[in-house]
Amino acid sequence: MTKDNKLLTIGQFAAMHGINKKTLMWYDEIGLFKPASINPDNGYRFYNYYQSSILETILLLRELEVPIDEVQNFMKNRSAQNLKNLLDEKIADLDSQLIHLQAIRTTLCTQRQHMVTLMTMDLSEISMIEHKERCLITVDVNPDTSFEEEVELITAETEKYHLGRLHDASYGSMISVSSLRNGNFNDYSKLFIELPFLTYQSAMHTTPGGKYLRAFHKGSWDKIPERYEEIFSYAQKHNLTLHGYSYEMGINENVIDKMEDYIVQIEIPVIEM
């Protein structure tokens, strides 16, 4: 007997496709997928080889969470164009999900690295690191910008870039090296948002690639000028020129209860003389 006329029982056909035979019975009951034949004496369902590709298409669409009524509509109007249209839509959905999952993975890796840093860091240490060029979304602020206004500005930007959750991004503040040199330690000019896989756009701020000085500050903001003085002394001693902006980011908000335990990571691009 060839595969042209070979019939399989419902159990055999279900096992071949890795599903429960009750699924095939339900598909038959709702008119979505009928058996090739039914024994009139006992009501047993039988399927043939050529039905496999049709069932696999249905199972694929269900795996893609296409509603059953949409699957039924497609089955009633099967064509290459209709299947292409349906798959185009689902591919676009999957691409969006993949981007979101990749962003979450990057965020998790960043937070894990922060935890490793917390467990191994020497708060007094100032070190040299390498950074690749990065694109940041920024909003302009000044010393008179209230906290409420800052929240509104950040919220507007996250909505603009369709950011689903706050944890999908990293946040921080920027203060120019010139302001720091002039002793204006509260002269923050920008807040930044770093999104994973963000592609460059003209309105964005690009951080320079290359060497950075990294330091940490724990506790009261009133003491942060002292930390910057230590950074400037370190740079002078090692013949380094600070330039551009200082990028500040909190790294332990999710593991502390008191603001006096808050740790700020400070990174400033440098040029070796």
Side-chain angles (χ1 to χ4, degrees):
M1 184 179 288
T2 67
K3 66 183 180 182
D4 292 344
N5 53 16
K6 171 68 174 176
L7 292 177
L8 301 171
T9 67
I10 188 171
Q12 291 172 324
F13 198 67
M16 186 169 71
H17 292 277
I19 60 175
N20 192 298
K21 65 180 183 181
K22 289 183 178 179
T23 300
L24 288 174
M25 295 170 66
W26 180 54
Y27 285 172
D28 182 13
E29 290 170 5
I30 65 175
L32 176 61
F33 183 71
K34 293 286 187 180
S37 67
I38 299 177
N39 188 314
D41 297 327
N42 54 26
Y44 288 172
R45 297 171 173 86
F46 293 92
Y47 298 82
N48 64 37
Y49 172 83
Y50 288 106
Q51 289 181 286
S52 286
S53 59
I54 298 173
L55 178 60
E56 282 300 323
T57 299
I58 293 172
L59 296 177
L60 172 62
L61 295 177
R62 293 297 290 147
E63 188 173 344
L64 293 172
E65 299 183 352
V66 178
I68 198 72
D69 59 334
E70 289 186 29
V71 178
Q72 288 177 306
N73 182 61
F74 165 72
M75 293 301 294
K76 292 175 183 176
N77 302 279
R78 269 191 300 152
S79 70
Q81 184 63 56
N82 287 343
L83 182 56
K84 177 186 178 298
N85 293 343
L86 195 53
L87 294 179
D88 282 345
E89 178 185 335
K90 294 307 169 185
I91 288 170
D93 290 343
L94 285 173
D95 286 342
S96 179
Q97 292 175 37
L98 286 172
I99 291 172
H100 179 62
L101 288 173
Q102 288 173 327
I104 290 177
R105 187 183 190 283
T106 299
T107 301
L108 292 177
C109 289
T110 299
Q111 291 191 1
R112 180 182 63 182
Q113 184 55 51
H114 285 168
M115 296 307 104
V116 171
T117 300
L118 287 173
M119 293 186 293
T120 59
M121 72 193 322
D122 175 359
L123 284 176
S124 65
E125 182 182 15
I126 299 174
S127 58
M128 187 92 78
I129 62 167
E130 287 276 349
H131 260 316
K132 293 181 179 179
E133 188 178 88
R134 298 174 294 165
C135 293
L136 305 178
I137 302 165
T138 61
V139 295
D140 294 332
V141 295
N142 59 60
D144 296 325
T145 306
S146 68
F147 176 73
E148 291 76 13
E149 290 172 325
E150 292 180 355
V151 169
E152 290 178 2
L153 289 169
I154 290 294
T155 301
E157 288 302 308
T158 57
E159 290 177 352
K160 183 189 301 183
Y161 290 91
H162 307 292
L163 182 63
R165 299 288 299 276
L166 291 178
H167 68 227
D168 289 346
S170 299
Y171 302 84
S173 54
M174 297 164 54
I175 183 170
S176 70
V177 170
S178 59
S179 290
L180 295 171
R181 284 203 185 97
N182 293 328
N184 299 319
F185 298 104
N186 293 318
D187 192 21
Y188 290 89
S189 57
K190 297 179 185 293
L191 304 177
F192 72 79
I193 309 169
E194 182 176 5
L195 296 177
F197 313 110
L198 187 66
T199 55
Y200 175 76
Q201 297 179 29
S202 59
M204 293 178 183
H205 173 85
T206 303
T207 66
K211 297 184 183 299
Y212 284 67
L213 279 187
R214 172 185 284 174
F216 300 93
H217 171 71
K218 180 180 179 180
S220 171
W221 236 263
D222 296 339
K223 299 292 184 180
I224 205 166
E226 298 175 14
R227 190 55 168 154
Y228 274 114
E229 294 294 352
E230 293 171 355
I231 294 171
F232 278 109
S233 296
Y234 180 96
Q236 184 176 13
K237 180 179 178 180
H238 293 84
N239 295 317
L240 303 171
T241 299
L242 306 176
H243 67 98
Y245 289 89
S246 172
Y247 301 90
E248 297 181 2
M249 180 187 298
I251 64 170
N252 68 335
E253 299 103 318
N254 47 6
V255 293
I256 61 170
D257 295 318
K258 300 178 295 183
M259 282 307 296
E260 51 262 39
D261 294 327
Y262 187 75
I263 297 175
V264 178
Q265 174 182 275
I266 300 169
E267 294 181 345
I268 310 175
V270 298
I271 300 172
E272 294 182 277
M273 301 300 292

